[in-house]
Amino acid sequence: MQQALLLADKAEAEGEIPVGAVLVSPTGEVLGEGWNRSIVLSDPTAHAEIQAIRMAGSALQNYRLIDCTLYVTLEPCTMCAGAILHSRIGRLVFGASDYKTGAIGSRFHLFEDYKMNHFLEIRGGVMADLCSAKISAFFKKRREQKKQLKLIDIR
Ligand SMILES: [Zn+2]
């Protein structure tokens, strides 16, 4: 999760919502890394989780990531939860909950409603304070920047 937080900083440096993800093999090897790049890539699917899953699939030359663990700083959305399901990841560890779009219990619970065809172990709230503080600070800064822009407009 520590590493996922560092990747979240990369997203922030690019003006993206600071979310980072790391995909690790059963033996602890890092197979994929990702951070939000939707704006930079003009790609609404370029969430941190999707990036990490793509990189790991390419590294393993396999579309199944069986027994791998995905660490992500924010609760995955429905799109990413779907990708997690299709990739057959064995374990999901996430930080902050997302009450707006979280699909692992906060807003929706994809893995509860879905007729599961594989077993996924889920652990949320890991380093949640750090993960959510990073996102809150980002939005606070962005609101202040917008306010500053408005002030400049008036003058
Ligand atoms: Zn997502």
Side-chain angles (χ1 to χ4, degrees):
M1 190 58 81
Q2 205 69 265
Q3 201 174 333
L5 275 163
L6 290 175
L7 294 169
D9 289 339
K10 284 196 179 193
E12 186 166 9
E14 294 179 350
E16 304 267 359
I17 299 167
V19 178
V22 179
L23 221 152
V24 180
S25 78
T27 55
E29 188 192 349
V30 174
L31 300 172
E33 291 183 330
W35 59 94
N36 266 357
R37 304 202 75 197
S38 294
I39 302 166
V40 174
L41 299 176
S42 301
D43 179 358
T45 71
H47 287 186
E49 301 95 310
I50 303 285
Q51 307 275 345
I53 287 169
R54 282 192 177 138
M55 194 174 155
S58 170
L60 290 175
Q61 285 295 297
N62 197 332
Y63 71 109
R64 299 273 197 244
L65 306 173
I66 294 164
D67 294 333
C68 291
T69 300
L70 178 69
Y71 295 89
V72 57
T73 58
L74 182 66
E75 180 181 352
C77 69
T78 50
M79 174 183 72
C80 293
I84 288 163
L85 193 75
H86 285 288
S87 67
R88 305 288 191 269
I89 284 167
R91 195 165 155 246
L92 166 69
V93 181
F94 67 89
S97 293
D98 184 348
Y99 298 101
K100 250 180 164 174
T101 62
I104 320 290
S106 293
R107 180 71 179 81
F108 313 102
H109 203 325
L110 199 79
F111 298 115
E112 206 173 62
D113 299 340
Y114 203 87
K115 253 192 170 177
M116 295 283 292
N117 54 5
H118 83 294
F119 180 73
L120 176 72
E121 188 191 324
I122 301 169
R123 200 172 150 211
V126 175
M127 296 175 74
D129 290 350
L130 269 173
C131 294
S132 79
K134 201 178 271 297
I135 293 168
S136 305
F138 171 82
F139 281 112
K140 191 177 173 219
K141 204 168 114 191
R142 205 160 79 168
R143 277 194 301 270
E144 278 163 9
Q145 280 167 346
K146 277 190 181 160
K147 217 191 256 175
Q148 283 300 114
L149 282 175
K150 270 187 194 159
L151 285 174
I152 293 165
D153 272 352
I154 293 165
R155 279 188 215 136

